[in-house]
Every structure is written in C-alpha cells, then in structure tokens.
Amino acid sequence: MIAMKVVAKNRRARFDYDITSTMVAGLSLRGPEVKSAKLGHVSLKGSFINIQGGEAWLSGAHFTPYAPAAGLQLDPDRRRKLLVHAAELNELITAKQNGLQVVPLAMGIERGLIKLEVGV
C-alpha cells in the first residue's frame, strides 16, 4: 500500500491471521457506494473473500448509505465483485484449496479509484 490513502482497515485481520502475501484488487461499486467509500463510511469488520463461479467476491463489508443519493436504495451489506487479473485469481483459488483464508486488510483510494488490499 504505497500510494494508497487508507479509508478503512480490518484491524482484526492481522491479529487473527498470519498474513503471508498481499495483493491489491479493484472493487466493482455503484455510484453512491464510491461516494461513501471516499468519505470513509466503510466498515470491513467481519468481512471476508469468497470464490464463487470463478470470481472473487467481498462479503460482509458495510457501506453506509450516501445521504444525497437517498432515492437509490442499495443494500449496504451486499456482496461486491473483486476486480483481479486471472493470475491473481488463480493464486486466490489455490490458496483457498490449500486451506488458507483470504481476508480483506484495508480499503483505500489510489489515483481516484477504490482499491482493496487482500491478504492470504
């Protein structure tokens, strides 16, 4: 996380797990979720990474609804797709198959984009 401004951290992750490797992934978010994330209204407490259908998903993260976009009702706890390269996805799948846990460590802003630091 060199040039990333951290907006949310999963403090429990480094305490509960021995992190051997990390990677940075993008997140597929909707407009109001991006605004909430940039304001730091995100909680990664209790969140985790699932691998389903050949895709990686962030589950359990809470994005507080963005007040000016009250007309657009989005579930604040819905699962969100991780945007990773195929090689990185294969690394995550291999880690899961070997019995390792994949956890989100931090969320930040890098060049105006919301990024998620993922630890294995």
Side-chain angles (χ1 to χ4, degrees):
M1 273 192 343
I2 296 170
M4 185 164 42
K5 176 188 168 197
V6 177
V7 294
K9 265 188 155 177
N10 186 356
R11 291 186 171 100
R12 255 340 255 189
R14 291 201 187 266
F15 181 76
D16 290 340
Y17 302 101
D18 182 26
I19 306 299
T20 58
S21 66
T22 62
M23 69 177 66
V24 177
L27 276 171
S28 178
L29 300 174
R30 300 213 175 142
E33 293 172 333
V34 173
K35 293 285 191 176
S36 289
K38 287 186 176 183
L39 292 173
H41 298 170
V42 179
S43 173
L44 294 176
K45 183 178 179 180
S47 59
F48 56 95
I49 306 292
N50 280 356
I51 308 292
Q52 290 180 338
E55 297 176 333
W57 297 88
L58 171 67
S59 299
H62 180 82
F63 285 68
T64 303
Y66 184 61
L72 182 60
Q73 298 295 325
L74 295 174
D75 180 16
D77 298 317
R78 74 178 182 90
R79 66 185 195 147
R80 292 154 182 94
K81 185 176 176 182
L82 291 184
L83 305 173
V84 293
H85 291 283
E88 293 173 329
L89 181 61
N90 288 335
E91 183 182 329
L92 294 178
I93 291 171
T94 303
K96 283 284 208 180
Q97 288 173 346
N98 291 335
L100 298 175
Q101 293 295 320
V102 181
V103 293
L105 300 175
M107 186 178 293
I109 303 169
E110 185 177 315
R111 296 186 321 243
L113 301 173
I114 305 299
K115 299 289 184 172
L116 184 71
E117 184 182 21
V118 177
V120 178

